[in-house]
Amino acid sequence: MIAFDHTMPDAAGNLALDESLLLHAEQTDTFEGLRFWEYPAHAVVLGAGGSVAIDVKRETCERDGVPILRRSSGGGTVLLGRGCLLFSLIVNHRRAAEIRDVNASYRWILGRVKAALSSFSNVDHSGISDLAIDGVKFSGNAQQRKSRAILHHGTILYDFDLPSVPKYLNPPERMPEYRHGRSHEEFVRNIPGTREEIMMRLSEVFEANPATFPLEALESVPGLVDEKYGRGEWNFRR
């Protein structure tokens, strides 16, 4: 597995690159990677089934120039920005038997992320796809699955502007049980670690070595942006 830090210049391109890397892994049946990226400005990203009307304060986003996009994986709506590190793990089904099952794969992957970050604080795997400290969430995760490989991607808040979350996002329609109906202000926090430390620990736990990512995976990015991630029909379909 290779590790690389690569952020595309626009939000849609970053979502497209994640899917492009997954398609590359599916086609080659050999590629596995751990991508880190961090978008420098605020952007809202819904899950595949998310609702703009329910999840997003659209007028505020439009007033402030915050783009609203939709990814191909499930999960809830998130706000990106400086201080929110994203990791995209592309894993072949052969790596572990647990990868083939959704819930088991979350336990397998997040168990390793939890172990990697436990030196910062007492990290818990909460709900199906969250990581929290003392019941307060700092990481949300989602997956896109193919027949040979999966894309597991997550957010890690380490120096994020937390008040911006309720500014641009409504409370979610569905909440994990451990949230107990708490507001965004009460429910999200940063983890006490630096970007470099987090990247190093995740690379170590997944045995991912720094390398240049396959440039051929970039070839499908413009098409995915044109056909999906850059289109209002996709981003505002719900």
Side-chain angles (χ1 to χ4, degrees), residues 2-233:
I2 64 171
F4 52 96
D5 183 359
H6 187 85
T7 301
M8 300 289 283
D10 61 286
N14 281 291
L15 300 181
L17 179 55
D18 269 357
E19 183 171 358
S20 182
L21 290 167
L22 174 61
L23 294 173
H24 180 71
E26 184 76 2
Q27 293 163 1
T28 63
D29 199 27
T30 57
F31 170 74
E32 290 187 312
L34 175 60
R35 174 196 174 207
F36 298 105
W37 61 284
E38 182 172 338
Y39 198 62
H42 286 136
V44 169
V45 180
L46 294 100
S51 166
V52 175
I54 294 173
D55 295 345
V56 184
K57 296 180 178 178
R58 182 171 178 177
E59 290 185 2
T60 304
C61 289
E62 291 176 347
R63 181 197 67 201
D64 293 351
V66 175
I68 300 170
L69 302 103
R70 184 183 302 273
R71 60 184 185 270
S72 291
S73 59
T77 300
V78 297
L79 179 69
L80 310 185
R82 192 176 304 279
C84 174
L85 177 66
L86 294 101
F87 71 96
S88 306
L89 182 71
I90 299 92
V91 184
N92 194 289
H93 287 180
R94 291 193 301 269
R95 177 164 286 267
E98 293 89 341
I99 299 299
R100 296 180 179 273
D101 177 79
V102 175
N103 289 335
S105 66
Y106 274 114
R107 292 192 295 270
W108 189 90
I109 293 169
L110 292 181
R112 283 155 175 77
V113 177
K114 173 184 172 180
L117 303 181
S118 61
S119 62
F120 298 129
S121 191
N122 183 27
V123 175
D124 294 315
H125 179 184
S126 301
I128 294 174
S129 58
D130 292 348
L131 293 173
I133 297 171
D134 297 327
V136 183
K137 176 181 174 180
F138 69 89
S139 174
N141 297 263
Q143 292 184 357
Q144 183 179 354
R145 308 180 68 85
K146 296 291 185 182
S147 61
R148 294 178 175 178
I150 71 168
L151 163 66
H152 176 111
H153 46 193
T155 58
I156 297 177
L157 303 179
Y158 71 94
D159 190 26
F160 193 65
D161 174 25
L162 298 176
S164 64
V165 178
K167 181 178 181 180
Y168 296 114
L169 301 184
N170 292 317
E173 185 177 30
R174 292 182 296 175
M175 300 184 183
E177 184 177 349
Y178 84 98
R179 181 166 179 156
H180 301 300
R182 285 176 288 174
S183 66
H184 288 311
E185 292 93 331
E186 300 171 302
F187 186 60
V188 294
R189 60 162 293 165
N190 289 305
I191 189 171
T194 67
R195 186 182 197 274
E196 292 72 22
E197 290 171 332
I198 294 167
M199 290 170 57
M200 180 183 69
R201 283 169 169 74
L202 290 181
S203 297
E204 289 173 349
V205 79
F206 288 110
E207 299 179 340
N209 299 308
T212 302
F213 76 96
L215 295 179
E216 58 267 30
L218 284 172
E219 295 175 0
S220 59
V221 168
L224 287 168
V225 170
D226 290 343
E227 298 163 12
K228 186 184 293 186
Y229 299 109
R231 295 180 64 86
E233 295 91 336

